[in-house]
Amino acid sequence: MLQEESDLSLIIAQIVQKLKGSNLYSQLERQAWASLQRPEIKLESLKEDIKEFFKISGWEKKLQNAVYSELSVFPLPSHPAAPPEHLKEPLVYMRKAQGSWEKRILKSLNSMCTELSIPLARKRPVGEQKELLNKWNEMGTDEPDLSLFRPVYAPKDFLEVLINLRNPNYENGDSLSFRTHLGLIQVPLKVKDIPELKECFVELGLNIGQLGIDDSTQVPPELFENEHVRIGQKVLAEQDSAAAQQYIRQGSPTALRAELWALILNISSQPEDVLYYEQLKTNVIQHDLLVDSLIYKDVKLTASNDDYYFVFEDYLYQVLLCFSRDTSVLSHFAYNSASPPKSYIRGKLGLEEYAVFYPPNVAPLCFLYHEPSKLYQIFREMYVRFFFRLHSISSHPSGIVSLCLLFETLLQTYLPQLFYHLREIGAQPLRISFKWMVRAFSGYLATDQLLLLWDRILGYNSLEILAVLAAAVFAFRAVNLMEVTSLAAAEAVLADLSTLKKT
């Protein structure tokens, strides 16, 4: 009991410390001073009167949402004496593996710089700055020669690293279960079984209404849809982040989704947010990084060729280029097993960069947000809350290692014949599903279905549903998969997920 109280006190102190550096704290401070001029504020009951003023004026709700937002990304509880690296990742072998992976990426980048005789970072000449500024909203029309630039890594490279992960303290003898030998992931992490998943995702039960099913044309809207929309509107009127997160577990109405996601992520477009985005844009204009070319090539190879996302090509460049300059993102490395390498511009220290490019998980957000600074804020928050876990090695339940293990465990346990069949023909299921999970199904599901999936990620504050969906896809196509005789045939059966209904 004393330990729990101590942990809670520590959490409160850390959240208070973080909020003190926020714009909200300054606003609350100004409002508190301004309220002293109000006649209802009495000196003898000053504290209670100001608290009541905050409650009536809506500032209490904003503070609650800010605290709730911080709790959503707060690291898992650990021992008070644990060193900082344990907060990033408690398992030593995971930290070492992540460190080795980062060195491999940096080596690839440095060798590319050497081969092409280009720097990691440089200041753009004035003429080049003006040219980029003039075409900022039309970057998709530019066709630079990027043939010499190669991707730093592909999903299959990352998967091979995860497959080779081993816990040196774990006995790899004959005592291992048969199931352990079947899967590609060979690390002993605790993942949920079906009963635990049912308890966790209780709102996804068959007896509970779901957008994507119960709002179809065959179902009268008065049975579910109308009431669900009405509740959603009430949640938005209340401006309660926790209520919005609970509500969205059953899916969000299309018309309310943009506002609901912003409420859950505690994003509001303030003038200072727009100004911050413009500062990032200025940094992009002034400095050219190697990662810019990699982002450009990545978007050209993926979103530009996608039937859903090609129209947002300019938005993608703007958001991802600004993201690569945003030093506020560095704060998430406190609970990320990864560490940001440093690059320097002409010998000047201070500009922190993480030298990897980011999969275009930003693309689906373009359907919801059309104002660049708002789109940027949402993407940044989605990345530092969720998507970074798909690109770093850790033991976190929402980390890519745990997701891979959860996927294999579900398939081995509940579809053993299918799993064994695919394994025997050299079509390990994880080799097919990994690319879906590492990109959160972006580019694989139809956009409306993808957004319904991401509703649940936000609603449950977890990526575990990605592994559940990946296993469900195999279950859905099980009959056809049992007839294939090669990896190529299995991939062909699962090549098009755009016709699948997520819910």
Side-chain angles (χ1 to χ4, degrees):
M1 186 67 183
L2 288 174
Q3 181 61 46
E4 288 180 6
E5 290 179 1
S6 175
D7 290 345
L8 183 59
S9 299
L10 184 63
I11 291 171
I12 292 171
Q14 288 177 328
I15 290 178
V16 168
Q17 187 62 34
K18 188 162 185 181
L19 289 179
K20 276 186 176 180
S22 69
N23 182 55
L24 176 64
Y25 183 82
S26 302
Q27 291 176 320
L28 288 170
E29 205 170 35
R30 285 197 297 271
Q31 290 296 323
W33 278 107
S35 70
L36 296 177
Q37 311 298 322
R38 303 174 71 89
E40 63 269 26
I41 305 294
K42 303 291 192 296
L43 186 60
E44 58 270 19
S45 55
L46 184 63
K47 186 176 180 180
E48 287 68 26
D49 289 350
I50 290 180
K51 286 167 82 173
E52 184 63 24
F53 166 72
F54 278 162
K55 188 173 183 178
I56 294 170
S57 60
W59 285 100
E60 182 187 60
K61 185 70 72 176
K62 291 181 180 180
L63 179 58
Q64 287 176 351
N65 289 343
V67 172
Y68 190 74
S69 177
E70 291 298 327
L71 286 171
S72 297
V73 297
F74 208 78
L76 297 173
S78 62
H79 192 278
E85 60 266 25
H86 280 244
L87 295 177
K88 292 166 68 68
E89 169 53 52
L91 298 179
V92 175
Y93 74 94
M94 288 282 185
R95 292 204 301 270
K96 286 183 177 178
Q98 175 63 30
S100 298
W101 175 239
E102 288 170 11
K103 287 177 183 176
R104 178 174 164 182
I105 292 173
L106 284 172
K107 184 178 179 181
S108 176
L109 279 171
N110 286 324
S111 64
M112 199 187 309
C113 289
T114 304
E115 290 170 18
L116 303 179
S117 299
I118 55 174
L120 276 170
R122 69 178 179 90
K123 188 167 184 178
R124 300 184 198 272
V126 176
E128 191 178 323
Q129 291 184 32
K130 289 180 179 178
E131 183 183 355
L132 181 57
L133 184 60
N134 290 334
K135 67 178 182 184
W136 180 256
N137 293 315
E138 301 173 351
M139 282 190 282
T141 60
D142 201 13
E143 293 288 346
D145 181 16
L146 299 173
S147 58
L148 296 177
F149 289 89
R150 59 179 183 273
V152 180
Y153 69 91
K156 62 180 182 180
D157 301 322
F158 191 32
L159 176 58
E160 289 303 322
V161 173
L162 303 188
I163 290 172
N164 290 314
L165 271 177
R166 294 292 185 275
N167 184 346
N169 300 321
Y170 195 71
E171 176 60 47
N172 287 313
D174 297 332
S175 61
L176 288 180
S177 68
F178 176 65
R179 192 184 73 191
T180 310
H181 286 292
L182 290 178
L184 293 175
I185 302 299
Q186 297 286 320
V187 289
L189 296 178
K190 174 73 173 74
V191 294
K192 293 183 176 72
D193 56 20
I194 286 286
E196 290 170 322
L197 289 169
K198 283 182 177 178
E199 186 179 345
C200 177
F201 299 113
V202 65
E203 292 84 2
L204 300 183
L206 295 176
N207 60 334
I208 296 178
Q210 304 291 331
L211 277 189
I213 297 177
D214 299 297
D215 59 335
S216 64
T217 53
Q218 291 81 18
V219 181
E222 60 271 14
L223 291 182
F224 171 70
E225 186 180 8
N226 291 350
E227 178 65 9
H228 192 62
V229 171
R230 187 190 67 78
I231 294 172
Q233 291 168 338
K234 187 175 180 180
V235 167
L236 285 174
E238 290 292 324
Q239 284 295 292
D240 189 320
S241 292
Q245 190 171 36
Q246 180 67 34
Y247 169 81
I248 212 170
R249 292 178 177 186
Q250 291 173 262
S252 169
T254 303
L256 306 182
R257 181 174 282 121
E259 289 184 79
L260 284 167
W261 283 21
L263 179 56
I264 293 168
L265 297 170
N266 198 35
I267 299 294
S268 58
S269 284
Q270 301 293 329
E272 55 269 22
D273 297 319
V274 178
L275 180 61
Y276 186 72
Y277 175 77
E278 289 299 321
Q279 289 173 339
L280 294 174
K281 175 181 171 181
T282 300
N283 287 339
V284 175
I285 299 296
Q286 292 179 345
H287 298 109
D288 178 30
L289 307 181
L290 171 65
V291 76
D292 295 353
S293 297
L294 297 176
I295 288 172
Y296 205 100
K297 183 158 188 171
D298 195 41
V299 173
K300 284 291 184 189
L301 291 174
T302 53
S304 299
N305 297 319
D306 191 288
D307 292 342
Y308 296 110
Y309 305 131
F310 73 94
V311 293
F312 301 122
E313 188 176 351
D314 296 326
Y315 274 162
L316 298 180
Y317 293 130
Q318 293 169 14
V319 169
L320 290 170
L321 289 173
C322 286
F323 184 73
S324 68
R325 271 79 171 172
D326 193 346
T327 54
S328 72
V329 178
L330 293 171
S331 61
H332 94 284
F333 285 105
Y335 52 87
N336 182 354
S337 62
S339 299
K342 298 176 182 178
S343 71
Y344 311 104
I345 294 179
R346 294 184 179 177
K348 295 180 181 178
L349 302 178
L351 181 63
E352 302 258 357
E353 275 307 324
Y354 14 97
V356 294
F357 60 101
Y358 300 90
N361 289 330
V362 63
L365 302 177
C366 296
F367 282 96
L368 303 181
Y369 306 97
H370 307 297
E371 202 278 307
S373 66
K374 184 72 171 285
L375 170 63
Y376 176 75
Q377 289 180 73
I378 296 291
F379 168 70
R380 180 180 62 191
E381 195 62 26
M382 289 286 282
Y383 189 88
V384 300
R385 279 203 194 193
F386 304 111
F387 296 143
F388 80 89
R389 298 199 183 280
L390 301 176
H391 313 128
S392 53
I393 302 169
S394 78
S395 58
H396 193 279
S398 283
I400 190 63
V401 182
S402 293
L403 296 186
C404 291
L405 188 58
L406 175 59
F407 164 76
E408 289 194 319
T409 302
L410 289 173
L411 221 53
Q412 290 174 50
T413 306
Y414 298 99
L415 291 169
Q417 285 182 300
L418 174 62
F419 194 95
Y420 185 73
H421 168 67
L422 292 174
R423 179 177 176 273
E424 285 299 293
I425 63 170
Q428 278 278 10
L430 185 59
R431 292 197 182 276
I432 300 172
S433 67
F434 183 75
K435 58 183 179 291
W436 307 339
M437 293 189 288
V438 84
R439 293 181 60 168
F441 282 89
S442 175
Y444 296 101
L445 290 177
T447 305
D448 61 329
Q449 300 301 305
L450 182 71
L451 294 175
L452 285 167
L453 172 65
W454 287 10
D455 282 343
R456 275 67 178 195
I457 290 175
L458 280 161
Y460 290 100
N461 197 39
S462 168
L463 292 170
E464 289 167 304
I465 199 164
L466 297 178
V468 176
L469 176 59
V473 170
F474 275 78
F476 185 72
R477 297 274 169 86
V479 174
N480 293 333
L481 288 171
M482 285 298 292
E483 296 176 0
V484 302
T485 56
S486 67
L487 174 60
E491 287 178 330
V493 169
L494 297 165
D496 184 12
L497 304 186
S498 62
T499 56
L500 289 179
K501 294 289 184 182
K502 201 284 299 175
T503 45

